[in-house]
Amino acid sequence: MVRIMTVDELTSTTITVDGTLSGEGIEPVQTCCIQALTKGKPVRLHLRNVSAIDERGRSMLRHLVAEGVDLKANGIYSSYIVDEIQSAGLSKRRCSR
């Protein structure tokens, strides 16, 4: 199960997620982020109370970060996953320069 809250501000959009990023919980989060990106403003994805992220969820997060979504997390588990994804993204950008 996943709960998604979207706050559309003047200069950015913040999407807050609670629940799990696995199974049926992945597609709604991805859809919200993609729709927010089409507005041309920065998008922040905040994993607030996310208790599980499966491989498909990680893949979706990597894709969203590559598209320019700013990823933040609360909690040890989610923060570890986010740090891992962001570190991998930075490494790829450094190698391509």
Side-chain angles (χ1 to χ4, degrees), residues 34-64:
I34 291 170
Q35 288 174 348
L37 284 168
T38 64
K39 296 176 184 178
K41 298 186 284 187
V43 175
R44 295 182 182 96
L45 179 60
H46 179 205
L47 306 180
R48 185 171 60 183
N49 289 316
V50 175
S51 59
I53 304 171
D54 68 7
E55 188 51 45
R56 283 184 46 230
R58 288 178 189 225
S59 178
M60 180 215 37
L61 293 173
R62 284 190 291 269
H63 173 75
L64 291 174

Side-chain angles (χ1 to χ4, degrees), residues 9 11-16 33 41-46 68-72:
E9 300 171 306
T11 59
S12 65
T13 300
T14 301
I15 299 167
T16 303
C33 290
K41 298 186 284 187
V43 175
R44 295 182 182 96
L45 179 60
H46 179 205
V69 172
D70 182 38
L71 194 55
K72 301 288 181 208

Side-chain angles (χ1 to χ4, degrees), residues 58 62 79-89:
R58 288 178 189 225
R62 284 190 291 269
S79 295
Y80 173 78
I81 301 293
V82 167
D83 289 346
E84 184 179 76
I85 289 169
Q86 290 173 334
S87 294

